[in-house]
């Protein structure tokens, strides 16, 4: 395996452990990927059903643009691998990260009927790529969840084209997807969006209690 794959695999492991300890990828949930080569497209991705707090670099799977393992082991890549590949193709992303936090799960259901949720006026928005001011309205689309990953990948691709400015999206009662030009930027986007989702969720909860 190339040095680049090994470097990316260790980056994915460190990110997975970090997210696990923040409670964003508990119980084997969530998945992480990064592009190793563009031509032909090759990704490193987390395997299916593995505890992200105990993930090892040698468990990361090397796949092609159809989600087939290139390394000769028998482990399966994450079931959500078709979504990662489509996001990479649609956005030219270098890394795609998916979390199952409490706040993204709750808000993706609360705002599902609106088709998405708007996040506006927060300083933390400036952590999203290309944004220079808090005076921005970030639209986070919400898509219905499905176990048919190929159909869901088509839905995601359509939605990404309809929302070319979006930095991420939610799957209903499921979690957050975001991406970046590289793993560092994608990780930053998870942190920013998770922070903003928790802020919105807590604000809504407080306004109900009062
Ligand atoms: Zn998931």
């Amino acid at each position: 395996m190339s040095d680049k794959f090994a470097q990316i695999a260790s980056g994915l492991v460190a990110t997975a452990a970090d997210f696990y300890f923040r409670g964003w990828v508990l119980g084997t949930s969530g998945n992480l990927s990064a592009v190793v080569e563009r031509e032909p497209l090759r990704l490193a991705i987390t395997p299916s059903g593995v505890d992200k707090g105990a993930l090892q670099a040698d468990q990361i799977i090397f796949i092609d643009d159809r989600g087939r393992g290139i390394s000769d082991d028998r482990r399966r890549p994450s079931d959500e691998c078709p979504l990662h590949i489509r996001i990479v193709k649609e956005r030219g992303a270098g890394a795609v990260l998916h979390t199952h936090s409490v706040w993204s799960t709750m808000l993706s259901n609360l705002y599902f009927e609106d088709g998405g949720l708007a996040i506006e006026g927060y300083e933390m928005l400036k952590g999203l790529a290309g944004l220079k001011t808090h005076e921005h309205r970030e639209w986070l689309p919400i898509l219905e969840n499905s176990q048919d990953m190929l159909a869901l990948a088509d839905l995601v691709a359509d939605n990404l084209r309809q929302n070319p400015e979006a930095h991420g999206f939610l799957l209903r009662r499921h979690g957050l997807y975001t991406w970046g030009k590289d793993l560092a930027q994608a990780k930053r986007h998870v942190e920013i969006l998770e922070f903003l989702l928790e802020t919105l969720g807590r604000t809504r909860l407080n306004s109900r209690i009062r």
Side-chain angles (χ1 to χ4, degrees):
M1 212 62 79
S2 69
D3 287 351
K4 187 168 183 197
F5 177 83
Q7 189 188 354
I8 285 175
S10 67
L12 291 175
V13 166
T15 305
D18 183 64
F19 287 0
Y20 178 83
F21 290 109
R22 295 197 212 189
W24 296 340
V25 291
L26 296 176
T28 78
S29 69
N31 31 74
L32 303 85
S33 72
V35 171
V36 181
E37 291 169 25
R38 291 271 172 201
E39 290 289 337
L41 186 60
R42 301 281 186 261
L43 278 80
I45 191 163
T46 48
S48 180
V50 168
D51 182 328
K52 302 302 178 299
L55 184 67
Q56 302 290 319
D58 63 6
Q59 293 177 300
I60 299 293
I61 303 178
F62 193 34
I63 58 166
D64 68 12
D65 65 346
R66 296 177 67 185
R68 295 174 300 201
I70 295 169
S71 34
D72 56 0
D73 61 59
R74 293 195 186 89
R75 284 164 305 171
R76 271 192 313 124
S78 160
D79 292 337
E80 294 178 54
C81 157
L83 274 60
H84 287 249
I85 293 167
R86 288 300 278 276
I87 294 167
V88 164
K89 288 183 174 174
E90 291 293 328
R91 286 293 203 257
V96 177
L97 302 176
H98 169 49
T99 50
H100 286 202
S101 69
V102 171
W103 293 108
S104 67
T105 303
M106 286 171 62
L107 294 180
S108 63
N109 190 45
L110 278 172
Y111 289 91
F112 175 72
E113 301 300 335
D114 299 336
L117 70 94
I119 309 173
E120 194 168 3
Y122 291 98
E123 181 68 13
M124 280 291 259
L125 284 164
K126 286 163 60 185
L128 299 176
L131 301 190
K132 301 266 185 282
T133 169
H134 65 286
E135 292 173 344
H136 167 79
R137 183 178 190 267
E138 179 73 16
W139 180 250
L140 202 56
I142 304 172
L143 309 180
E144 183 60 277
N145 193 28
S146 170
Q147 301 304 322
D148 181 344
M149 287 304 151
L150 295 176
L152 191 53
D154 284 343
L155 193 67
V156 164
D158 283 348
N159 200 279
L160 291 176
R161 283 177 213 152
Q162 287 163 27
N163 295 283
E165 306 297 324
H167 292 81
F169 61 87
L170 298 172
L171 294 178
R172 187 185 193 188
R173 297 182 180 172
H174 179 162
L176 167 72
Y177 266 89
T178 185
W179 50 86
K181 65 177 181 179
D182 53 26
L183 184 57
Q185 189 182 80
K187 179 171 183 269
R188 196 179 84 216
H189 285 171
V190 170
E191 291 181 341
I192 296 289
L193 290 170
E194 289 290 0
F195 175 96
L196 289 165
L197 288 168
E198 183 168 350
T199 299
L200 284 184
R202 288 188 186 278
T203 303
R204 184 169 166 152
L205 212 59
N206 281 340
S207 64
R208 289 208 166 176
I209 293 167
R210 264 190 231 120

